Amino acid sequence: MSITPFILQSMVVSNEVITKYLIVHRIVDGKLVPSREGAVVSSPEINTWLTKFLFKPFNADEKFAFQIEEALPELMDQCSSIFNDQNNLLEKSIEIVELYLSTAHSNKSKDGEFIVAFFEDCIIGDEVTDVIGLFRIERKETFLKLEPTYDAFTLHKDEGISPTKIGQGAMIFNTDQESGYQILQIDKIGPKNEEFFWTESFLGASKVVDSYYHTQHLINNIQEFAQTNFDEDQSTEKITFVNDSIEFMKESEVFDQQAYSEQVLQAPELIEQFESFQGEKTQENPFLESEQFEISKPAIKSTKRYIRSVIKLDKNFHVYVHGNRENILRGYDEEKKKHFYTLYYEEET
């Protein structure tokens, strides 16, 4: 059986990458029920599939690192111990889950599994390295299992783990140790009031300040600026402004504030408002670059999914706007006492 290597953005996960160790611990009533040995992977084919399965949820362009400015995070110390001696994996995996439970609100921690894995021969950038994987599983998929008999099938209900159901996870790469290692992470289950628990409290990590970071923050700032600086009756102008901004970034290799002002903002009043807005954001976050930086195309692709490009009219209509605001006009009918939109188009598709 041959499984095709796949590329997770700048990270190559090929048939040579193996899941060397896999330890599954259970969490019951907020307490650890530890395994005393690693899980058995029955064949090389399953090992290859398992590796692909565990890497799939991560975005390799959004990088994190342990925060090492003041003191080394406890988790980083445990990971370093594993990288130095893989024989420590079982002992340290128990400590990792205990750390998770001590930093989580144990009474809110649902029953499930915590997986600690060790991968070999992963290529990130131009470096071959080992990886520690951490996966918190709270939800499982129900599926039907077909068991063949002599002349028919028997159906059984069973439960399993889907890559889309990995609620929280992290990949710690054995590279750039002096900068806090390279980390990928996901958090799909943290409630809004605890959304930084997994990343900051447990992992002790923060985003790496790079082109992806700057591009993602700029798009978020543009959307926030549009919401606060356009009036309620300027829905088309607001959406067009955001769409034009995204197109400008898609067509440029480097974000240049002056070029953006001339091509997108144009109006002196809007330029002044946006520069003031960006100045406030830079004061809040000194790491942000607002004048000039390299644009990350993956960040545009990732963030663009959350951009609102629809005008909702009562409960009757949704108008999707992708540009050319000259083709959509807003008005008010004095006789009917209702607002209306006029749309111009060439053909109906």
Side-chain angles (χ1 to χ4, degrees):
M1 177 180 177
S2 176
I3 298 181
T4 305
F6 72 101
I7 299 176
L8 186 60
Q9 302 297 343
S10 58
M11 180 170 58
V12 179
V13 184
S14 68
N15 288 355
E16 285 69 37
V17 181
I18 64 168
T19 304
K20 188 173 183 181
Y21 302 109
L22 187 79
I23 301 172
V24 183
H25 298 296
R26 288 191 297 147
I27 295 176
V28 180
D29 296 329
K31 297 181 180 179
L32 168 64
V33 181
S35 293
R36 295 305 175 188
E37 57 184 24
V40 176
V41 181
S42 58
S43 71
E45 289 81 9
I46 292 179
N47 192 304
T48 302
W49 177 86
L50 176 66
T51 302
K52 181 177 178 179
F53 169 90
L54 293 174
F55 273 83
K56 187 175 181 179
F58 296 91
N59 175 7
D61 290 292
E62 189 172 18
K63 300 181 182 66
F64 293 75
F66 287 117
Q67 299 173 346
I68 58 174
E69 289 77 11
E70 298 178 2
L72 296 182
E74 189 174 347
L75 180 61
M76 180 177 177
D77 191 43
Q78 292 161 340
C79 289
S80 296
S81 178
I82 295 171
F83 284 133
N84 291 334
D85 185 357
Q86 297 171 26
N87 292 322
N88 291 328
L89 183 62
L90 181 58
E91 173 192 348
K92 292 301 176 181
S93 72
I94 293 174
E95 292 180 10
I96 287 171
V97 183
E98 288 175 339
L99 173 64
Y100 171 83
L101 291 173
S102 69
T103 51
H105 297 292
S106 296
N107 59 332
K108 295 182 181 179
S109 186
K110 297 180 181 179
D111 292 354
E113 288 76 35
F114 197 112
I115 300 173
V116 180
F118 189 90
F119 307 94
E120 287 187 335
D121 299 332
C122 181
I123 302 173
I124 184 165
D126 57 357
E127 186 174 357
V128 179
T129 185
D130 298 331
V131 186
I132 296 171
L134 309 177
F135 310 91
R136 176 71 170 104
I137 311 296
E138 289 187 355
R139 293 184 296 170
K140 295 181 180 178
E141 292 272 280
T142 301
F143 61 90
L144 291 177
K145 183 177 180 180
L146 299 176
E147 183 177 323
T149 59
Y150 177 71
D151 57 356
F153 283 90
T154 302
L155 271 65
H156 301 279
K157 187 182 81 168
D158 212 335
E159 287 188 336
I161 300 170
S162 164
T164 61
K165 299 299 182 182
I166 294 178
Q168 294 167 317
M171 292 287 192
I172 299 96
F173 295 81
N174 190 15
T175 184
D176 296 336
Q177 180 181 3
E178 67 284 354
S179 302
Y181 291 115
Q182 286 193 35
I183 301 174
L184 307 179
Q185 70 90 37
I186 54 170
D187 183 2
K188 297 181 181 179
I189 63 176
K192 288 185 178 180
N193 60 336
E194 297 176 11
E195 61 182 344
F196 299 114
F197 155 69
W198 176 262
T199 307
E200 295 184 1
S201 301
F202 171 58
L203 295 181
S206 60
K207 288 185 177 182
V208 173
V209 179
D210 56 10
S211 62
Y212 190 100
Y213 179 91
H214 292 308
T215 304
Q216 186 180 58
H217 274 273
L218 177 61
I219 294 174
N220 291 337
N221 288 349
I222 286 171
Q223 293 182 85
E224 183 181 339
F225 176 80
Q227 293 297 326
T228 57
N229 285 268
F230 287 85
D231 297 331
E232 291 185 4
D233 61 350
Q234 292 182 298
S235 296
T236 54
E237 289 85 350
K238 181 193 305 183
I239 292 173
T240 301
F241 163 72
V242 175
N243 287 338
D244 288 350
S245 298
I246 297 299
E247 286 303 312
F248 172 84
M249 297 173 70
K250 287 170 65 175
E251 294 171 1
S252 306
E253 294 298 323
V254 174
F255 177 81
D256 181 81
Q257 177 65 50
Q258 183 175 349
Y260 175 71
S261 297
E262 293 173 353
Q263 297 179 37
V264 179
L265 299 175
Q266 297 182 355
E269 183 180 357
L270 195 60
I271 293 173
E272 183 179 348
Q273 290 174 348
F274 187 78
E275 289 180 350
S276 175
F277 178 85
Q278 282 289 81
E280 293 174 3
K281 291 297 181 182
T282 304
Q283 286 185 342
E284 294 173 7
N285 183 355
F287 293 110
L288 286 181
E289 291 284 349
S290 59
E291 295 294 327
Q292 192 174 74
F293 58 85
E294 182 182 348
I295 293 174
S296 166
K297 304 304 181 183
I300 297 174
K301 184 177 180 180
S302 174
T303 312
K304 193 174 184 293
R305 292 176 297 170
Y306 305 102
I307 294 175
R308 184 176 179 270
S309 298
V310 59
I311 302 172
K312 296 182 179 180
L313 308 177
D314 299 330
K315 296 182 179 180
N316 302 316
F317 305 102
H318 286 179
V319 179
Y320 292 87
V321 182
H322 301 289
N324 296 327
R325 65 169 177 248
E326 296 82 6
N327 292 332
I328 178 169
L329 302 178
R330 188 178 191 273
Y332 184 78
D333 191 311
E334 292 287 351
E335 183 178 341
K336 294 184 177 181
K337 304 299 182 184
K338 290 186 177 182
H339 298 281
F340 66 86
Y341 279 97
T342 301
L343 307 178
Y344 295 95
Y345 65 94
E346 293 182 357
E347 59 180 324
E348 187 171 337
T349 58

